[in-house]
Amino acid sequence: MATPCLRVIAALSVGALTAGCPQGPRSGPENFCAGDNLALREQATAMGETLLGAPSSTAGRDSAAPAPRPWLVTTRPGMALPEAGTPTARFESFGVSRFAFLDGATLARLMAHPAVAAIEEDRPRRIRGGALSCDPVLPSGEVEPWFLGVVRASFAWPRTEGGGALIAVLDTGIDNSHPDLASAVMGGVNLSGSGDLTSGADDNGHGTRVASVIAARRNGQGLVGVAPQVRLFSVKTQDSRGEGTVSTMIAGLQWALEHGAHIANISVGAAGASYAELRAVDTATAQGMVLVGAAGNGGDASEGGLNEAEYPASYRNVISVAAVDAANNRAAFSTYNSFVDIAAPGIPIMAANPEAFGGSYLCDSGTSFSAPQVSAVAALLRQSAPGISTDHLRRALVCGAVDATAPGIDSETGYGVVSALFATNFIDSPRECAYLREPAAPFPAGAPDPQPKPPGSPADGYFRFRVQSLQALFISRGDTQGVLLRGQVLTHTGEPLADVQLDVALFNGSGDLAARATLFTDNEGLFLAFASGATCGALHFTIEEALRGGFSFDRGGSITAADFSF
């Protein structure tokens, strides 16, 4: 007699799944709740102690060991934060809370709670300047820096010099006493946790240099910025050493949103994506803000560069900016990868120096000074076309870019070097332009039909089952990073299917394998497993193998497939 088969007949009761991720509506029935099932909660607690376990006290801890980083807990949209002590900060706009310390038992309890979407350490974020310095040639009278010609800023000035646009500079602060910036800064805040907490003053110098590239005023002396009438918010997220964290980035974005900023310039970053930061980025974008980030300065292997994707620039809703030299070649230090959208001059850049550090001007290089040129051009576009949508503005920036290192889109300069002239022309006369950062389709091309197929009679030798209520929890701590999967396996008649082993794979938006995991169902058909290595981004879930005593696995006409994003 032939061995009976297990056949998957449906992915879910609906076609697509967001599983509590920061984008899109929740899909499908939510009758599975890990926090309401004692057995599963015990499994989650045990797994939590393994994945996230932190000592409940400092007793016996090596005094030389670094202190644990604070935790960020992100809740699912519309759900309240479960009891976990008193957070040191709450970012209500994004559903994120920061805790200075959480013991292992609390972490495990949060991990098992259905309201929690992600638990992660508060990762570092650093300024991206200083790749190469140079001796400045001090301006005599008023000078338009060489990079203004490359980005064709003057072609936009007859329409607007950016007046009315608000750019939040998330950085080390801005010296608003410098003559080039005295009338540019209209407000600020210090969110870095150090220095004078009553203002956004600059105790490093990086933020002032970034600001002058954007908005140095026409005052008969010094430099002129790309958008010399734009207004700035000094949002100090970095301390005097240029150090910050994901939570200071999130705090900066929340402040900028609350104060009406149209554009955020983020010349800050580091390797390692964050679920909480991605939630903040996507929320800010959805509310109409344009976010611009420095791609990073890790592109030169001879100088020890690792060419890692840096965040926030590498998120889909942040315009990632690389650096080019005066010949429009990629600067050797500029990070290059598939996340790069556009480029701008980054070597060498003359900029304002804070009065506290001697005033006047100095020379610096890095993608930190490329990003503000794109932010400034975005401000010129916004003011030249009142009412332009965020999406149209982003398209104009990339579709109006000038090819640089290679024809078409490439990993070194993206769409090319930003151009105020051609971006404005795109707004005036839109044309076809393939924009790669479109949201992925609900199911990749060629994916199997996720809809249920009519069940056959028991006589056909198949035992059909389906996976429902799939949920995903992003977890990050130190070297541990991945996705906790939980859900329920049912027969086609709705009965829980116990004692089934499912070998599953997660693929990213490019179709590359991101992680694998093995799931085991309990007596109620519930499963809980950790897919190590999966990171932020779109993920495609599929079953590769199913095992149950006395049955073999037959894919039949359909396999389980579900998409969700982090």
Side-chain angles (χ1 to χ4, degrees), residues 58-91:
T58 57
R61 184 186 297 169
D62 182 356
S63 60
R69 286 190 177 279
W71 292 97
L72 298 177
V73 178
T74 307
T75 55
R76 300 182 189 279
M79 301 186 77
L81 177 72
E83 177 58 40
T86 304
T88 56
R90 284 199 179 200
F91 309 108

Side-chain angles (χ1 to χ4, degrees), residues 193-341:
S194 67
D196 180 1
L197 299 181
T198 63
S199 73
D202 190 359
D203 53 8
N204 175 279
H206 185 270
T208 298
R209 296 195 288 278
V210 167
S212 72
V213 171
I214 297 172
R217 284 338 202 203
R218 292 190 181 280
N219 55 8
Q221 61 178 325
L223 304 176
V224 178
V226 177
Q229 290 298 317
V230 77
R231 293 179 294 170
L232 304 177
F233 285 130
S234 176
V235 184
K236 182 174 173 58
T237 58
Q238 314 301 113
D239 63 20
S240 60
R241 300 168 300 166
E243 299 286 336
T245 63
V246 166
S247 66
T248 62
M249 286 287 98
I250 293 173
L253 286 175
Q254 180 167 276
W255 191 94
L257 274 176
E258 291 172 348
H259 288 78
H262 305 128
I263 299 161
N265 186 88
I266 309 174
S267 293
V268 173
S274 160
Y275 186 103
E277 188 175 54
L278 176 62
R279 172 78 69 81
V281 162
D282 288 347
T283 301
T285 301
Q287 294 186 25
M289 184 183 290
V290 174
L291 280 71
V292 180
N297 300 331
D300 191 347
S302 68
E303 296 293 329
L306 299 177
N307 201 42
E308 297 177 299
E310 296 200 3
Y311 298 88
S314 294
Y315 298 127
R316 180 175 60 84
N317 280 322
V318 179
I319 298 171
S320 178
V321 186
V324 294
D325 60 20
N328 275 1
N329 295 314
R330 179 182 69 87
F333 57 77
S334 184
T335 296
Y336 54 96
N337 52 44
S338 61
F339 302 113
V340 171
D341 289 303

